[in-house]
Amino acid sequence: MDDSIKKQGIFGKFLSFIERVGNKLPHPITLFAILAVIVVFMSALLSSFNISVENPTEPGETLAITNLLSGEGIAYIVTNMVSNFINFAPLGVVLATMIGIGVAERSQLISAALRGLVTSVPSRLITAALVFAGIMSSVASDAGYVVLPPLGALLFVALGRHPLAGLAAAFAGVSAGFSANLFLSATDPMLGELTRQAAATFDPAYAETINIAMNYYFIAVSVFVLTIAGTFVTEKIVEPRLGTYKNKLETSATGIDYLQKEEKRALTWAGISMVVVAIIMSLLVLPEWGPLRGDGPNPIANSPFMRSLGPVILVLFLVPGIVYGVLMKTIRNDKDVANQMSDTMASMGMFVVLAFTAGQFVAYFNETNMGIVLGVYGAEFLQSVNFTGIPLVLAFIAVTGLINLFIGSASAKWAIMAPVFIPIMMQLGYSPELTQMAYRIADSTTNIISPLMTYFAIIIAFAQKYDKKMGIGTLISVMVPYSIVFSIVWTLMLIVWMLLGIDLGPASPIHYPS
């Protein structure tokens, strides 16, 4: 454990506690297997007490806990194991979207776009550009973590500024602003399908209307709000605290990977191809004759197009990725494209195995009716103590943020939390879309202060180039102001959004129309 943590008093002890407990937790794959077993035994226990509730969507119908240790329950477990895996909501759509995103990443398109954005802005805007690029980097799996923090440090030191401030600004954007973006990314279908699945246990009809762009309006505006917040924290809090960087050996621009003429040309044509694809897609949904246009008062929000955003994301990244790769010769033929797709799928192996155990847990939880029972009783309890409205949302964000310090995987946490919290919130009149957005805020803003975050060690390694004494505690102390400010600003933004009653995304209201 880093000595700097030990010197930080109560907060340092808290961080060391997080590190100890987090390291003792089983792998998420094992965790879901354990949870699935727990659900099976809990179903037998609770069913023995004849616990039941009235079906919220079918008045007069009673729902009881289903015993999975009964003969029928054991038959369900055995006969549905494969289908539980295949039908795990995020599995297909995440793998499909990653085919396109993977080609864009492996052809070097995303890396070049991030470098081009950051290195082409005036020096006075470099902080904002780093934070903005970091936030936008969430469309790729790890390009933001690998490219932007070291680039930010190099740019800052070349400008005579403290390199760790540049690294921190980029890291804050990449990690604390992970759930904000101007594009839909793999995170949207991954969380969205879990949300839809959880909502279906409470109201299947409403779940059918949920689309994976449910938070798009909010996360798009969040990009600019968090960019401003990150710039403020860097220039007014973090950089003054770090002071003047005195290592004169590092104060040149050597090592900064500026875009070459060929890369700029390839980026231009990739951008043009993306615009062309977007125009073609628009023609499929905007005109009245569009084959992907829906019917009714909201023909676009409730359309086949909105229900097919996974393939849309795939194509929107695949075509520019191929164009860039061909021009830069990272793609020479169809075999290269196939290999890049294959490499992407290989990198998703952990997710596929996770989907198997998580799929069993989610399916068992739904089959037992425990989610609805918890939702009804939980909502009644919260109403009895008058704990609803904004205080409830704030409490949910706080609980999620605390859990995120111990369990880093966004999909793993949401697969556990969604089946419990979404029915409760729906029973209290809040939409699954709102619950998911509150979750995303908490899941993102505490990433940068968790020693268990996947890329934390990598960021420390980058920082040690400029400060040999940099360790876990020191890095966290640098990142805490970002976590606090992002949490406050983003939560206040959500509260204002709630008070104004603005949809969070296309046909995605704040309140559940019970």
Side-chain angles (χ1 to χ4, degrees), residues 32 35 194-195 198 361-362 365 371 374 395-404 407 409-425 435 438-440 442-443:
F32 277 113
L35 289 173
L194 288 170
T195 298
F361 162 73
V362 172
F365 195 82
L374 281 173
F396 175 70
I397 291 174
V399 169
T400 303
L402 181 62
I403 294 174
N404 188 49
I407 304 175
S409 171
S411 58
K413 284 194 305 296
W414 195 225
I416 297 170
M417 298 176 69
V420 176
F421 286 98
I422 283 181
I424 291 177
M425 299 293 273
T435 308
Y439 169 81
R440 295 178 72 166
D443 176 66

Side-chain angles (χ1 to χ4, degrees), residues 33 59 95 127 139 214 217 221 235 275 281 321 391 398 430 450 455 492 512:
L95 293 181
T127 306
V139 297
M214 67 184 82
Y217 299 159
V221 175
E235 297 183 349
V275 172
M281 289 181 174
Y430 296 106
S450 173
Y455 291 95
L492 287 175
Y512 166 63

Side-chain angles (χ1 to χ4, degrees), residues 429-509:
Y430 296 106
S431 70
E433 294 92 332
L434 174 65
T435 308
Q436 177 180 286
M437 193 61 247
Y439 169 81
R440 295 178 72 166
I441 289 173
D443 176 66
S444 295
T445 53
T446 50
N447 281 336
I448 53 176
I449 59 171
S450 173
L452 302 173
M453 200 272 291
T454 306
Y455 291 95
F456 209 85
I458 295 176
I459 302 301
I460 290 177
F462 289 147
Q464 286 177 341
K465 176 180 178 182
Y466 305 96
D467 182 354
K468 300 298 183 183
K469 298 180 180 180
M470 175 64 70
I472 293 174
T474 309
L475 179 59
I476 289 177
S477 70
V478 172
M479 301 312 299
V480 162
Y482 292 101
S483 185
I484 294 174
V485 173
F486 275 35
S487 296
I488 293 173
V489 170
W490 218 350
T491 301
L492 287 175
M493 179 180 165
L494 183 63
I495 292 172
V496 171
W497 212 278
M498 291 173 62
L499 294 175
L500 294 176
I502 304 172
D503 283 1
L504 292 161
S508 302

Side-chain angles (χ1 to χ4, degrees), residues 324-332 336:
Y324 182 87
V326 169
L327 293 175
M328 289 302 299
K329 296 182 173 55
T330 55
I331 293 177
R332 298 179 183 274
D336 289 336

Side-chain angles (χ1 to χ4, degrees), residues 234-254:
T234 303
E235 297 183 349
K236 302 300 181 182
I237 301 176
V238 172
E239 196 166 8
R241 180 171 174 266
L242 288 171
T244 303
Y245 185 62
K246 300 177 180 180
N247 189 345
K248 301 300 180 182
L249 297 177
E250 298 287 351
T251 56
S252 73
T254 303

